[in-house]
Amino acid sequence: MIDAIGFIVALMVSFILVPIVRKQAIAAGYYDAPGARKIHKYPIPRLGGVAIWLAFMLSLGVIVFLGWRPELHNALPGILAGGTIVFLLGLLDDLFNLSPYLKLSIQFIAALTAFFLGIQINNLDLPGAQLLVLNALSLPVTVIWLVGLMNAMNFIDGIDGLAAGVTTLSALTLTIVALFTNQPSSALLAALLAGSSLGFLVYNFHPARIFMGDSGALFCGFLLACIAVTGVLKTKVAVMLLPIFVLSVPILDITYSVFRRLLRGKNPFLPDADHIHHQFLKAGMGQIRTVTYLYSLCVVGGLISVWYVNYLPIYIASLAVMFLLAFLLIMLVRKIFPLPSPQNQDPADPSA
């Protein structure tokens, strides 16, 4: 019940905040301009990550203030401190276009902060093998996981609705897995993230009214990585493959991107236009069909994960409710914030 309340509160706060942030971004001239690596054809306001971060923090504050919460675990300071660091890093990059190496350095600082405040992968339960105790390897494994996931989410934030939708679906899966493996604090945090990202998604679904920017993508990726550590890897029933299934889309994309760039002799940290979603678009699929296929992959990963912990009917029902809610809110947003007809049509997307 608390998780459902948290989800609804976060959804409402995010839904209200996004148009406010959008209006301020337009007034200040913070747009994401079209370019060689960009899919959109006209400038779109960014900084949507501000609304996602604020919605998550405010909703958590409301839940704590009203006392509608389970006992929050000791890792919460690491999640909030590290998440705020990466959010501010992304915001600065959205405003001033920071160096990739400076961004990576600060990401490591955020991951180290989270590690020393309790976000730690101490054991790996590998399929068909004994429990692997990491000991001294706990630090590098945790940091690589956190930095990798936040960049993976940033990598897939290249077409309308993809990063926000994947965040929402992954957070919903983590909510169910954590809730029914006795990790109530992680379930609550995942529900808050799901609500915050869904409230943003209804403005970001194609054709997007606003982009989340690095501030949103890095924050969402970092939180998903942390919740996977505290809510999945901490459970006795879960194995190492579970968070990989849950976060299959960003993990698949970053793995593909890094190896592709290395094989071509390119810097794996520099951006390009050859991500998995770009390949779908080059194959003639529009943005809506592309995100539909990648959402489906995310859902399959979630189904496998929840099937493993034996709560598949609840997950399917939750998915149905969430998709219906998203559809209704998207229709509402399109009536409230109509786009001019030349911008409302994607020539590459027959379903737009």
Side-chain angles (χ1 to χ4, degrees):
M1 179 62 71
I2 294 175
D3 309 289
I5 293 172
F7 172 83
I8 294 170
V9 170
L11 173 61
M12 292 175 59
V13 174
S14 179
F15 187 77
I16 293 170
L17 283 177
V18 173
I20 297 174
V21 171
R22 179 179 182 271
K23 182 178 179 180
Q24 295 301 316
I26 292 173
Y30 294 124
Y31 292 94
D32 195 335
R37 295 190 303 106
K38 308 292 184 177
I39 304 299
H40 57 286
K41 304 297 189 295
Y42 55 95
I44 296 177
R46 54 182 187 267
L47 305 186
V50 174
I52 296 174
W53 179 80
L54 277 175
F56 179 87
M57 293 296 186
L58 290 174
S59 302
L60 179 60
V62 168
I63 295 296
V64 172
F65 178 76
L66 295 177
W68 301 340
R69 55 164 175 60
E71 188 63 32
L72 295 173
H73 49 56
N74 295 332
L76 183 62
I79 295 174
L80 298 184
T84 299
I85 291 172
V86 298
F87 161 72
L88 293 174
L89 166 63
L91 181 60
L92 289 173
D93 187 49
D94 290 334
L95 298 176
F96 305 111
N97 195 22
L98 303 179
S99 158
Y101 299 103
L102 176 60
K103 289 168 55 179
L104 188 62
S105 299
I106 299 177
Q107 288 170 11
F108 274 102
I109 291 173
L112 288 169
T113 300
F115 178 86
F116 288 113
L117 289 176
I119 306 297
Q120 300 178 2
I121 302 175
N122 296 315
N123 307 305
L124 292 180
D125 189 2
L126 302 173
Q130 292 184 339
L131 184 70
L132 177 62
V133 181
L134 294 178
N135 296 321
L137 292 177
S138 175
L139 175 59
V141 168
T142 303
V143 169
I144 290 171
W145 172 256
L146 296 178
V147 173
L149 254 296
M150 70 176 89
N151 281 287
M153 189 58 64
N154 202 22
F155 280 8
I156 67 169
D157 185 30
I159 60 175
D160 297 352
L162 182 56
V166 168
T167 297
T168 303
L169 291 168
S170 300
L172 177 66
T173 304
L174 289 173
T175 301
I176 301 298
V177 172
L179 185 62
F180 294 104
T181 52
N182 197 29
Q183 300 291 332
S185 296
S186 295
L188 173 61
L189 295 178
L192 294 178
L193 180 59
S196 301
S197 56
L198 180 59
F200 171 79
L201 173 62
V202 298
Y203 296 93
N204 181 242
F205 195 78
H206 183 72
R209 274 74 176 162
I210 187 172
F211 290 156
M212 67 167 60
D214 280 18
S215 58
L218 292 176
F219 176 70
C220 289
F222 182 85
L223 252 66
L224 287 173
C226 288
I227 295 169
V229 171
T230 61
V232 176
L233 292 178
K234 294 293 184 184
T235 64
K236 294 181 180 179
V237 70
V239 296
M240 184 58 192
L241 290 181
L242 280 192
I244 295 176
F245 282 128
V246 175
L247 302 167
S248 55
V249 172
I251 289 175
L252 179 63
D253 184 72
I254 194 172
T255 302
Y256 167 74
S257 298
V258 169
F259 278 101
R260 170 176 48 77
R261 292 172 186 174
L262 289 174
L263 289 174
R264 294 178 180 178
K266 296 182 178 180
N267 189 327
F269 302 112
L270 295 180
D272 59 22
D274 286 319
H275 292 282
I276 291 177
H277 54 271
H278 291 120
Q279 302 302 326
F280 275 98
L281 293 174
K282 290 175 182 178
M285 299 179 189
Q287 293 197 49
I288 293 179
R289 287 178 62 191
T290 297
V291 297
T292 299
Y293 286 133
L294 293 175
Y295 285 176
S296 299
L297 178 59
C298 197
V299 168
V300 169
L303 288 171
I304 294 172
S305 302
V306 178
W307 169 80
Y308 188 87
V309 296
N310 297 317
Y311 284 93
L312 198 56
I314 295 176
Y315 180 65
I316 293 174
S318 300
L319 277 177
V321 170
M322 193 194 68
F323 277 120
L324 177 60
L325 187 59
F327 174 78
L328 293 175
L329 288 175
I330 288 172
M331 294 300 102
L332 177 62
V333 165
R334 290 187 175 184
K335 288 192 174 295
I336 298 175
F337 298 99
L339 294 175
S341 55
Q343 298 177 351
N344 203 29
Q345 181 70 30
D346 178 9
D349 196 339
S351 60

